Amino acid sequence: MKTRFFLMTALICLLLVAWVWLEQQYENARLEKYRQLSDLPVYIYVADSSRVAPLMERLAEFPQLRDINLETGLQAADELVQAYQLPISTGSLADYRFPSVITLLFKPLQASVEVKPAVMRAIAEQQIELTDIDAQSNAWGQTVKELAALRQRWLSYTIITAVMLGLLFFFIRLSYEFRFLLLQKRRLLSVADVLRVSTENHRHTWAMLVLPLLITVGGYFLLDLSGYARAIIPLWWFAIPAGTLLAATAVVFIVLNMYFHDRTFMPETRPDAAEEDSFA
């Protein structure tokens, strides 16, 4: 029976490891989408130089912006000339008036997605026309849609995985206990014997709950400390598999308690007593 118990514990550990691996892949995909968003700059062209300083101060109020870069019109024009190797001298550029260019880059965070509309309103408050803003709206919107679809898929497989793992844990745990009780049936001769087996079953129940979680979560962070993998799963997520196993454990605990209650306090019907009743 001990071998069976450890095999069941190993199975739960393997399922938890697979779940953690799937979550790691989801977090990698999600972070990649945020990195794509952070690589989409917002260009603001300001023709009136008196509006540059107030706009820069207003944008500095948003901590979700990882970079706010200001280039004068002459600097921006000179960079374009050098980038495309145009036959225009720097001196000739000084004869023209170019708008200043403010470049914004967002941090790769969910908060950046949520705050971008507020940033655009702050820009509009400084009387900057929409035609003077290149917000990469199409690329940004497409990536945000992909993020939403990715989260929807995550929610679906998380629910399915939690339900399947909970049911599997419940049934293999319950089958193990009832098999154990069948083997111990002849030894349950007194209330003390029943209580002893009940205590052992409770110990098994909590061991099967704690050991897989301890091994899986501890192994995950040990891999991070050893440099083999980066721990990017948020800590709150581990409450989902822990809650799943805890809920299944509670149901098993209730079922076993009901059995032991009936076994302890319900009178047993003896075969000879049943025969006497039939003759009477």
Side-chain angles (χ1 to χ4, degrees), residues 242-258:
T244 300
L245 295 187
L246 183 61
T249 298
V251 176
V252 172
F253 189 80
I254 292 172
V255 172
L256 291 178
N257 269 355
M258 291 173 60

Side-chain angles (χ1 to χ4, degrees), residues 29-251:
R30 187 173 66 91
L31 291 178
E32 179 59 29
K33 294 299 179 184
Y34 286 138
R35 282 192 287 268
Q36 292 177 11
L37 289 176
S38 69
D39 291 336
L40 294 175
V42 175
Y43 298 106
I44 309 169
Y45 303 97
V46 186
D48 188 353
S49 59
S50 63
R51 297 178 181 174
V52 173
L55 180 57
M56 293 290 290
E57 293 178 1
R58 183 70 177 92
L59 293 173
E61 298 176 2
F62 295 96
Q64 294 83 3
L65 293 173
R66 68 179 175 91
D67 186 40
I68 305 175
N69 184 45
L70 170 64
E71 288 182 316
T72 65
L74 185 59
Q75 288 175 331
D78 186 53
E79 288 183 2
L80 287 174
V81 169
Q82 294 180 8
Y84 293 97
Q85 298 181 354
L86 300 177
I88 303 174
S89 64
T90 304
S92 62
L93 293 175
D95 298 331
Y96 299 91
R97 184 179 178 183
F98 300 99
S100 299
V101 181
I102 300 177
T103 305
L104 307 180
L105 290 174
F106 289 87
K107 294 179 180 179
L109 301 171
Q110 174 61 29
S112 298
V113 179
E114 299 169 356
V115 82
K116 187 178 181 181
V119 173
M120 301 306 296
R121 287 193 298 269
I123 297 172
E125 290 171 1
Q126 302 299 320
Q127 299 180 352
I128 306 297
E129 298 293 335
L130 289 177
T131 55
D132 294 332
I133 304 173
D134 183 5
Q136 308 279 347
S137 299
N138 292 335
W140 183 280
Q142 180 62 32
T143 305
V144 170
K145 288 181 181 179
E146 293 173 359
L147 263 173
L150 186 65
R151 181 169 181 80
Q152 186 62 38
R153 291 195 297 270
W154 171 84
L155 184 61
S156 299
Y157 86 70
T158 297
I159 293 175
I160 294 173
T161 305
V163 171
M164 296 300 294
L165 179 62
L167 290 175
L168 181 63
F169 181 90
F170 171 77
F171 284 114
I172 66 174
R173 185 74 184 88
L174 204 60
S175 65
Y176 170 81
E177 291 303 335
F178 282 136
R179 178 180 174 83
F180 179 76
L181 290 173
L182 288 175
L183 295 177
Q184 298 290 327
K185 186 174 182 181
R186 294 182 179 180
R187 300 176 58 184
L188 301 180
L189 303 178
S190 65
V191 174
D193 293 329
V194 174
L195 293 177
R196 175 183 56 79
V197 175
S198 175
T199 301
E200 187 173 353
N201 285 334
H202 292 167
R203 187 166 56 249
H204 287 171
T205 298
W206 292 111
M208 187 171 285
L209 169 66
V210 174
L211 284 178
L213 290 173
L214 185 63
I215 293 172
T216 304
V217 178
Y220 177 72
F221 287 104
L222 281 176
L223 287 176
D224 176 67
L225 292 175
S226 60
Y228 287 101
R230 188 164 66 95
I232 58 176
I233 299 177
L235 293 177
W236 64 263
W237 178 84
F238 292 98
I240 299 177
T244 300
L245 295 187
L246 183 61
T249 298
V251 176

